[in-house]
């Protein structure tokens, strides 16, 4: 199979970090990118989910506002804490 070169720009620190991770897995960055491209070819899609927003409801805007308010209440001594037994299944 003929080989070809692919050139693209990437943040220098990102490249170093990924190269170190790849090295720990026993492969080069070139090999890792080739694996990625093979997977795209086989599956005809990006092999992981890409989203614009966090999908975990814990990190939703509403929950973050709620937690921030609770922390403010806690620090101000306005939060009523109730002790309860742990539930074991």
């Amino acid at each position: 199979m003929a080989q070809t070169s692919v050139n693209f720009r990437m943040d220098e620190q990102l490249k170093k970090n990924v190269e170190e991770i790849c090295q720990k897995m026993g492969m080069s960055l070139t090999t890792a990118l080739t694996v990625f491209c093979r997977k795209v070819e086989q599956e005809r899609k990006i092999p992981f989910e890409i989203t614009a927003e966090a999908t975990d409801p814990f990190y939703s805007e509403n929950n973050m506002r709620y937690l921030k308010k609770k922390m403010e209440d806690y620090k101000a001594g306005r939060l009523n804490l109730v002790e309860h037994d742990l539930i074991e299944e």
Side-chain angles (χ1 to χ4, degrees):
M1 183 182 336
Q3 298 284 312
T4 188
S5 293
V6 178
N7 296 308
F8 58 93
R9 297 194 185 281
M10 175 187 295
D11 177 81
E12 185 177 347
Q13 190 59 52
L14 173 62
K15 181 178 182 267
K16 286 180 183 179
N17 293 344
V18 174
E19 282 177 326
E20 287 176 15
I21 294 166
C22 289
Q23 183 180 17
K24 290 178 183 176
M25 291 188 281
M27 68 176 92
S28 66
L29 180 56
T30 298
T31 299
L33 292 172
T34 300
V35 168
F36 169 79
C37 290
R38 290 263 182 229
K39 199 75 168 153
V40 169
E41 179 185 46
Q42 290 170 356
E43 297 182 6
R44 310 289 298 165
K45 65 176 189 166
I46 301 294
F48 47 83
E49 186 176 344
I50 300 173
T51 61
E53 298 177 19
T55 56
D56 186 343
F58 180 83
Y59 296 103
S60 70
E61 279 186 49
N62 287 341
N63 196 47
M64 298 314 310
R65 275 193 303 273
Y66 172 81
L67 292 172
K68 185 177 179 181
K69 172 79 169 97
K70 288 298 182 185
M71 185 56 79
E72 290 170 358
D73 290 345
Y74 172 75
K75 288 179 179 178
R78 296 186 302 258
L79 189 61
N80 295 325
L81 300 175
V82 178
E83 188 173 325
H84 61 85
D85 294 327
L86 292 176
I87 299 171
E88 292 186 17
E89 294 183 340

